[in-house]
Amino acid sequence: MALAVSLCGYAIFGKGFAYLGLAPLYIGEILLGLGVLVLLFSGCLYGTLTNLPNLLLAVLCLWGVIRTVPYIGIHGIDALRDSVLLLYGAFAFIACGLLLQRPGRLPLILGLFSTFALIFGSYALVPYALALVPQLVPTWPGSGLPLVLLRPGEVAVHLAGATVFALLFFQRVNWLWLLLLLAGIGMTAGQSRGGMLAIALPVGCAILASGKTLDALKALGVALVLAGAASVAADGLELGATTREVSLEQIMLNVLSIFSDTSEAGLDGTKLWRLRWWDDILGYTVHGQYFWTGKGFGISLAESDGYQGTVVPGTPILRSPHNAHMTILARTGVPGLVLWLAMLASWFGMMGRSMLLARQRGEPAWFRLFLFLACYLASILVNASFDVAIEGPMLGIWFWVLLGLGSGSAMIYRAQSRGGAASMPRRVLQRRAADGDGPDRPG
């Protein structure tokens, strides 16, 4: 429950919540320490290592330690701070171990996700509304940060999770909730290309895999009408420090900028900046002297690679290249990237096999559970491919906890499948998932 409350804190309040505690022990590090103790006393540590994704993750974390320890004396706390990109992977073992210790926790987790989906689906507009009146937002004690400080990519990920959960498990949703959800999606799509893709791709996959095309078309029709009305009402509106307007035109420009150049200097400039930096990283790792080792954790990649630019007082100093895969490559070399990609491929493969088995056995509740976890994790990965996401606790802890829940759920399902019908979580799952093939209707 402490972990669940903290995850909600990260999702609803953002960066300010991450500074709860006393330096250098903030809420994330406190949770990690307590979680490791719980895992050790659970007796399930070795059990978490009995599947391929967790084994690969263990090796990846070990490689991360090797690429961190030599630089602690040089870069100090920066080395430890940067290394959480991989070392927060311990949360995956904690979440998996808690499920293996007591499989009955799975229905509780789904109930908590249900509550969170309802809350965040109607909450996503709040960060944007507060951005219009930053002087009225109170600050967190000690940090000076606003009470709510969320980036569009972070909002997008949880909107995707709420949408997929509603699509798969809610038989009915309130129309007001649906309108607020669609409004939040529209605002996010206008503010962030990565956030737009982090919603569109996982939700699209969930629609296709679950056969909810009719429901999706109805929601899309409502969304287009809502977007048109909002575009007229909020024409020229800018949120906070961003220069991107809230308009249907801005959303279309964001879409076009992914596939081709536009006339917008801001969109094309940031894309070109990213591509050049990523190309340089490939040059000094895959084709250069840092092939085996990378540059390690602690060094500022932006400064080392020549992409720091002008440092504006009061703004965070850039350290990573807005792509988690490139960050891992630059800091841990090709071996680290190979381990990372192999771990992800094996995890999604495990989710896919579990979905196929559940469908073959006629267990739609389990099928939807695995689909939900895969889509949620994929949303974070999409956002992490365009922004600094899992390098920090706001999305990093969410990412690893979801990965651990997926591993633990698949292991439980596999064990129960060998012993007979997998009936354990059905009493909760079936309250939210219709066993029939007909579409669920909002009402």
Side-chain angles (χ1 to χ4, degrees), residues 220-239:
L220 180 61
V222 175
L224 290 175
V225 173
L226 187 65
S231 179
V232 173
D235 186 33
L237 179 64
E238 296 180 0
L239 300 174

Side-chain angles (χ1 to χ4, degrees), residues 202 347-348 351-352 355 369-379:
W347 188 87
F348 280 105
M351 293 295 100
M355 282 190 280
L369 169 63
F370 295 126
L371 178 59
F372 163 68
L373 292 172
C375 288
Y376 211 153
L377 196 81
S379 178

Side-chain angles (χ1 to χ4, degrees), residues 120-317:
F120 202 88
S122 56
Y123 168 83
L125 285 174
V126 172
Y128 299 115
L130 294 179
L132 296 173
V133 286
Q135 67 278 7
L136 299 181
V137 182
T139 60
W140 286 96
S143 70
L145 294 173
L147 183 66
V148 177
L149 185 57
L150 288 165
R151 295 182 298 177
E154 296 164 7
V155 176
V157 163
H158 299 304
L159 276 174
T163 303
V164 172
F165 196 92
L167 185 72
L168 298 178
F169 293 111
F170 291 157
Q171 295 187 41
R172 292 180 178 274
V173 293
N174 184 278
W175 276 108
L176 177 60
W177 181 87
L178 180 61
L179 290 174
L180 291 172
L181 175 75
L182 293 174
I185 290 174
M187 296 285 279
T188 303
Q191 295 298 299
S192 169
R193 285 173 294 188
M196 178 179 61
L197 288 176
I199 296 172
L201 295 180
V203 173
C205 289
I207 290 170
L208 293 176
S210 63
K212 297 293 187 71
T213 308
L214 181 60
D215 283 347
L217 290 175
K218 291 179 181 178
L220 180 61
V222 175
L224 290 175
V225 173
L226 187 65
S231 179
V232 173
D235 186 33
L237 179 64
E238 296 180 0
L239 300 174
T242 180
T243 58
R244 296 182 187 176
E245 298 179 353
V246 178
S247 66
L248 189 58
E249 180 184 3
Q250 182 65 60
I251 295 176
M252 296 304 299
L253 284 173
N254 288 349
V255 174
L256 291 174
S257 69
I258 296 172
F259 304 101
S260 63
D261 293 337
T262 68
S263 59
E264 292 291 318
L267 291 173
D268 292 340
T270 55
K271 182 172 71 172
L272 183 61
W273 171 81
R274 285 185 175 95
L275 292 176
R276 285 178 175 173
W277 193 355
W278 299 347
D279 187 61
D280 286 352
I281 291 173
L282 289 172
Y284 64 69
T285 53
V286 176
H287 307 291
Q289 59 178 324
Y290 293 102
F291 181 95
W292 292 108
T293 62
K295 292 187 175 182
F297 291 98
I299 189 172
S300 171
L301 292 177
E303 185 176 346
S304 174
D305 297 347
Y307 286 86
Q308 183 62 263
T310 302
V311 178
V312 180
T315 61
I317 298 176

Side-chain angles (χ1 to χ4, degrees), residues 8 37 39 61 83 91 116 166 246 268 276 335 365 371 414:
C8 288
L37 289 176
L39 178 61
C61 290
S83 69
F91 279 106
F116 175 75
V246 178
D268 292 340
R276 285 178 175 173
L371 178 59
R414 181 181 61 188

